[in-house]
Each structure stands twice: as structure tokens, then as C-alpha cells.
Amino acid sequence: MATLDHIIVVLAVLAVVLFPTSTKATDYGVGDGSGWTLGIDYQAWANSKTFKVGDNLVFNYPQGVHNVFQVDGNAYTNCIIPPPSKAHTSGHDIIGLSSPGKAWFICGVNEHCATFNQKLAIDVKA
């Protein structure tokens, strides 16, 4: 007859085999307490983070004051604003990082990107 200790060991081994450890996704509040706004060095903010597939970027800002576009590298560099229908505008936009590689984000309000450098480029790890 199996003892309780043996049953616990067997269950622990089964748990390790059947349910491998997974890393928990991280939600990153862009700009931390400052949020998505003017006057923040978002590259300096991003440099202290390691972004991975499955993580989320959370853009917090007063609705109607800013917006968020996920763009390509050229649009990021040149602050090319996509059509308004592509904008995230809720003031609490959660954007999932679904694939490895570069990801670029800009604010499309007025000259916030071009004049005030309200943009973010990150490298997403697999």
C-alpha cells in the first residue's frame, strides 16, 4: 500500500511533467507614473526593461489629449501618422506584444511625435 509520502512525490513529479513552468506576462505602464505624455524620454524608460512576447504595454493618458499608434520603423523615424481609424484612443490602451522583434509606437496628436518626441521603440524578445 502506498504511503501518503509516496503519493505526494508522485503527484509532484506529475505536476512538473504535465504542467511545465511558464513565465508570467508582465504589464508595463509606459512611462511608469508619468504615463504617455510630453516631456518623457521613453527610450531611457525602455532601456531598463526586458520586453517579451506575451507582455503588455499599457498606455495611460487623459482621453482626447493623446493617442497611440503602433507603426513601422519608417513611420516611427519620420513621425508619419497613420489613418485615424488605426489609433488607440481610450486613455488606457493595452497593447499585447505578440511577436519578437522591433515594435514602434507614436502619438499622432498634433506635433507630439515630431516636435515633442512622444514615441517609443522597443525590442521584444521571444
Side-chain angles (χ1 to χ4, degrees):
M1 181 180 270
T3 66
L4 183 57
D5 289 338
H6 288 105
I7 293 171
I8 291 172
V9 169
V10 169
L11 290 175
V13 169
L14 285 173
V16 169
V17 171
L18 296 175
F19 306 108
T21 304
S22 63
T23 57
K24 186 177 185 319
T26 301
D27 290 344
Y28 290 99
V30 176
D32 295 324
S34 298
W36 183 239
T37 191
L38 303 177
I40 304 295
D41 182 348
Y42 289 104
Q43 289 321 120
W45 172 84
N47 287 342
S48 65
K49 318 273 186 288
T50 301
F51 303 99
K52 295 179 266 203
V53 170
D55 289 347
N56 295 304
L57 295 180
V58 182
F59 292 84
N60 291 306
Y61 55 91
Q63 189 175 22
V65 175
H66 301 290
N67 60 26
V68 181
F69 287 95
Q70 186 166 2
V71 296
D72 63 20
N74 181 54
Y76 172 85
T77 300
N78 297 298
C79 290
I80 299 168
I81 310 302
S85 63
K86 303 280 186 184
H88 297 271
T89 60
S90 74
H92 182 75
D93 304 318
I94 301 172
I95 300 176
L97 303 175
S98 59
S99 59
K102 298 287 185 188
W104 301 272
F105 305 89
I106 63 173
C107 179
V109 174
N110 299 323
E111 294 295 313
H112 291 189
C113 179
T115 301
F116 300 103
N117 207 36
Q118 189 177 0
K119 57 186 183 175
L120 169 66
I122 62 170
D123 186 25
V124 181
K125 307 291 182 198

